Amino acid sequence: MTIGIIGSGALGSNFARILAKQGIAATIANSRGPASLADLVKELGPSIKAGTVEEAASADIVLVAVRWVDAEKVLGSLPAWNGRIVIDGTNPVEFFDPATSPDANDASNPLAAYGIKAVDLGGKHSSQVIQQFVPGARVVKAFNHNDVNVLREPETAGGKRVLFYSGDDAAAKAEVRAIMEGAGFFPVDLGALDVGGPLASLPFGPLSTHNFVRVS
């Protein structure tokens, strides 16, 4: 199974580090083009190469690791997915400068001081929206519920760090689970997308931001 990564920010680059540590090949891409990723792929080694967004999106398994506000633009121009697997690593949040934005004074937003606000999805959960942008894909929600920097340490405190995932296709979930297990994490299946997605989605999912470790 080939792997692509769309987005080279904190999530995309740390996911690439997970794969590189295991010697798993992948193509990583961003909106600025392959040349902008030269330093990153040099750091990661020969298993990770830089490509275009279209090249990354042509893989069998594709991690979407872009900002929510960019997701529709990035994904909407790509070819048909034809049953390939999309790992939805996004969260429906927008970022702003708390020092200058009027959103910093929103008393109804408990995250205003951190420069974060939740996006109103009109009663939908985030993966429902992402599914609309990737018609024909088998979507698995994963790698989104915790601080992305902890992905560098799958084993900690004498155990394995827990990663949640959810989806509606059992075979697709099995492939994503295999990646997690291969990297040293302890995967926990939260069920279908409409159940597990909201549970683990930032900023207000009840399982989001919790850093669980399974100790043997």
Side-chain angles (χ1 to χ4, degrees):
M1 301 287 282
T2 56
I3 300 175
I5 304 168
I6 301 177
S8 61
L11 175 56
S13 60
N14 280 326
F15 183 74
R17 290 183 178 96
I18 292 171
L19 301 180
K21 188 175 180 180
Q22 302 299 322
I24 299 171
T27 299
I28 187 168
N30 62 20
S31 61
R32 298 181 300 279
S36 69
L37 297 167
D39 289 343
L40 178 63
V41 295
K42 182 179 179 180
E43 170 206 332
L44 296 176
S47 66
I48 308 297
K49 68 176 184 179
T52 64
V53 171
E54 290 75 14
E55 287 170 338
S58 68
D60 300 313
I61 302 174
V62 181
L63 172 70
V64 175
V66 300
R67 296 185 306 169
W68 183 264
V69 294
D70 297 327
E72 182 174 10
K73 179 177 69 175
V74 172
L75 299 174
S77 62
L78 294 173
W81 291 89
N82 296 325
R84 289 177 293 115
I85 298 169
V86 166
I87 303 175
D88 174 17
T90 67
N91 283 303
V93 296
E94 293 183 17
F95 299 92
F96 58 85
D97 185 346
T100 60
S101 174
D103 287 321
N105 300 316
D106 183 0
S108 67
N109 177 13
L111 301 174
Y114 302 98
I116 301 170
K117 67 177 181 179
V119 176
D120 184 358
L121 301 181
K124 296 180 179 179
H125 63 82
S126 61
S127 286
Q128 279 182 295
V129 179
I130 293 297
Q131 280 180 309
Q132 296 173 355
F133 303 155
V134 291
R138 293 180 290 158
V139 175
V140 178
K141 189 78 171 177
F143 296 101
N144 67 295
H145 71 88
N146 216 329
D147 181 343
V148 294
N149 293 307
V150 305
L151 293 177
R152 297 189 184 203
E153 299 178 345
E155 298 184 11
T156 185
K160 294 184 176 183
R161 200 179 302 278
V162 171
L163 291 184
F164 299 119
Y165 67 102
S166 58
D168 298 330
D169 185 284
K173 288 200 293 184
E175 295 288 352
V176 175
R177 182 184 183 96
I179 293 173
M180 293 176 171
E181 290 177 332
F185 294 97
F186 185 78
V188 173
D189 186 350
L190 296 181
L193 271 180
D194 62 355
V195 175
L199 284 174
S201 183
L202 294 165
F204 301 127
L207 292 178
S208 68
T209 73
H210 291 297
N211 190 14
F212 296 106
V213 176
R214 182 186 186 267
V215 179
S216 301

